[in-house]
Amino acid sequence: MISEGLQTSLLLGTTPLLLPDPLDKLARKLLARRRGHTTIGTSADSPWLFSGAFAGQPLSSYHLGTRLKRLGIYSRPGRTSALMGLSTQLPAAVLTELLGISPETATAWTLTGGNWARYAAELQDRPHPRLQ
């Protein structure tokens, strides 16, 4: 995370993402009081916002997902919405190469991507994750 004056950015790969208000304030608070996964004390010398169990390593995606699920935050609906949005804008061949998915999956997305009524009906029939 990069904090310059009143602007806060999150570095994802090589591209910084400017965090809007109030998300920037929440990220700054989290950075100020972060702790490692199993470490004692602060993680001030770690470059990671979510430090893992080993020094200098980030929290694994599995453990981050587990923590978010305990809070009732599920990534799949947002991911699915983003992928469906992409499927309305890009041809299947581009989705295949861009996301590394099979041509069959990309074709299925582009066929259902523009039909939100059908997608909503399919979503209704899917099992929903239990809140823990």
Side-chain angles (χ1 to χ4, degrees):
M1 197 163 78
I2 305 164
S3 192
E4 296 177 10
L6 298 177
Q7 293 188 324
T8 303
S9 298
L10 183 64
L11 189 61
L12 302 172
T14 58
T15 306
L17 174 68
L18 186 62
L19 299 177
D21 190 43
L23 187 57
D24 64 334
K25 289 182 180 77
L26 292 171
R28 285 180 191 213
K29 284 182 183 178
L30 179 61
L31 185 62
R33 61 185 180 129
R34 68 189 166 150
R35 295 194 187 278
H37 180 58
T38 60
T39 59
I40 297 173
T42 65
S43 300
D45 57 344
S46 174
W48 303 104
L49 182 58
F50 299 104
S51 298
F54 300 105
Q57 296 294 314
L59 184 66
S60 72
S61 59
Y62 174 80
H63 284 101
L64 182 59
T66 301
R67 287 183 181 185
L68 291 173
K69 285 177 189 171
R70 273 192 240 134
L71 296 170
I73 301 170
Y74 300 93
S75 62
R76 187 169 301 273
R79 180 182 183 277
T80 301
S81 294
L83 292 172
M84 287 295 143
L86 273 177
S87 71
T88 64
Q89 301 170 27
L90 300 171
V94 174
L95 288 174
T96 297
E97 189 169 328
L98 181 68
L99 302 176
I101 58 175
S102 73
E104 294 79 16
T105 300
T107 301
W109 286 354
T110 57
L111 293 176
T112 60
N115 188 337
W116 291 106
R118 185 175 359 157
Y119 170 69
E122 289 175 11
L123 188 61
Q124 181 64 31
D125 293 336
R126 290 183 189 169
H128 295 285
R130 290 185 304 144
L131 294 177
Q132 296 179 6

